[in-house]
Amino acid sequence: MKDLEDVANAAEDASNSRAFVIAARAGFAVSGLLHLLIGVIAVRLALGDSQDADQGGAMAQLAAQPAGVVLLWAGAVACLALGLWQLSEVIFGYRRVAVRRRLGKKLAAAGQGIVFFVLAIGFASFGLGNRKESSESTSDATAQVMSMPFGPMLLLLVGAGIAITGVVFVIRGLLKSFTKQIVLPASKALRRGTLILGVLGYMAKGVALFLVGLLVIVATLQSDPEESTGLDGALKSLREQPFGDLALIFIGVGLGCYGLFLIAKSRVAKMD
């Protein structure tokens, strides 16, 4: 037991080390850069462009830059570090939080950890030269799950979960509850700017997630996996609706705001 305790203490100390926390904070900045690029692509979609408005499209833009491979692998390392930090929160964190709230906090940290592990895998995949379009990957994955026993039911639950997460993001933005995760700057102007970026960003991110979840549900009910094309398909479908261009611009600007908020969060997030 003592050996296990020593290992656990060593792991906790490592997760709190300055170098590890700095690397983990960089994960927020990397995610912010991706959202910023997706926001720019979404605005371009509204103006008639046809790029992939999702993480794959944003990563492709990074890959096309000078030293793009270096950027991709740096992103992979940063997201992996943040995923591991979230995992450490699941294991060691929230000891001072009331028991009735602790499980929810740990589940949220686990969910965030999975998101950043997936991002790290995406960066590494692009770094290795695997550039398959995200919409194709999403459709393929949907088709595979749909063919499994109870697959359609699972997809409906996944779609509902994504849509509900979108609603939660919108509510967080409206209520400014995201401020619980950060230390607001002392400067009044910076504090106001951070709040504006957070509110607009969370609302736009929520709308985008809701649309993705809705597409998954529609694809499942119609037994057509081609309808499930992720964020890129959701935004391109929105463009075809009345006033879709204006909605796309709002979402694009909002995702850009969310990206800038995440970049700011890399400095002001509560990670001590």
Side-chain angles (χ1 to χ4, degrees):
M1 285 293 292
K2 187 176 185 307
D3 289 341
L4 287 175
E5 277 187 27
D6 290 341
V7 171
N9 290 333
E12 185 173 9
D13 290 341
S15 69
N16 291 324
S17 70
R18 180 173 174 77
F20 182 73
V21 171
I22 289 174
R25 285 183 181 276
F28 285 123
V30 168
S31 179
L33 178 59
L34 286 183
H35 280 85
L36 187 57
L37 290 173
I38 294 170
V40 171
I41 295 172
V43 172
R44 288 179 178 174
L45 277 180
L47 301 177
D49 208 335
S50 59
Q51 291 178 284
D52 291 337
D54 54 17
Q55 291 170 354
M59 289 179 186
Q61 286 202 357
L62 286 178
Q65 303 305 311
V69 174
V70 175
L71 292 174
L72 290 170
W73 283 107
V77 171
C79 289
L80 177 62
L82 185 50
L84 290 172
W85 184 84
Q86 295 286 2
L87 179 61
S88 75
E89 287 292 280
V90 175
I91 300 172
F92 305 114
Y94 308 112
R95 292 178 179 175
R96 297 178 182 177
V97 176
V99 175
R100 59 187 174 83
R101 295 178 54 217
R102 191 179 304 162
L103 178 60
K105 295 280 188 181
K106 287 181 178 288
L107 288 175
Q112 284 292 304
I114 291 171
V115 168
F116 284 102
F117 284 138
V118 170
L119 275 179
I121 292 170
F123 273 113
S125 180
F126 265 75
L128 292 171
N130 182 8
R131 309 286 170 87
K132 187 175 182 179
E133 291 186 8
S134 298
S135 57
E136 292 180 11
S137 300
T138 303
S139 295
D140 292 346
T142 301
Q144 290 178 3
V145 175
M146 200 175 286
S147 64
M148 296 166 53
F150 304 106
M153 180 63 68
L154 178 60
L155 283 174
L156 286 175
L157 291 174
V158 169
I162 295 173
I164 291 170
T165 301
V167 173
V168 170
F169 264 74
V170 172
I171 293 173
R172 282 181 181 173
L174 290 173
L175 299 181
K176 303 177 184 177
S177 59
F178 57 85
T179 56
K180 297 175 183 178
Q181 304 169 350
I182 61 176
V183 179
L184 287 171
S187 165
K188 184 178 292 186
L190 287 176
R191 189 184 311 122
R192 184 181 297 115
T194 302
L195 287 174
I196 291 173
L197 290 175
V199 170
L200 291 178
Y202 268 85
M203 289 178 63
K205 174 81 171 181
V207 172
L209 286 173
F210 182 82
L211 290 174
V212 172
L214 194 61
L215 277 186
V216 173
I217 293 172
V218 170
T220 304
L221 293 177
Q222 294 182 349
S223 299
D224 184 6
E226 294 298 323
E227 291 287 335
S228 179
T229 50
L231 179 59
D232 178 59
L235 295 181
K236 287 177 179 174
S237 296
L238 179 63
R239 184 175 57 180
E240 306 303 321
Q241 306 306 312
F243 305 105
D245 290 345
L246 292 177
L248 258 183
I249 290 173
F250 166 76
I251 291 177
V253 171
L255 288 175
C257 288
Y258 187 67
L260 292 174
F261 172 78
L262 287 178
I263 292 172
K265 187 177 180 178
S266 68
R267 291 289 304 274
V268 299
K270 295 177 180 178
M271 299 182 70
D272 299 326

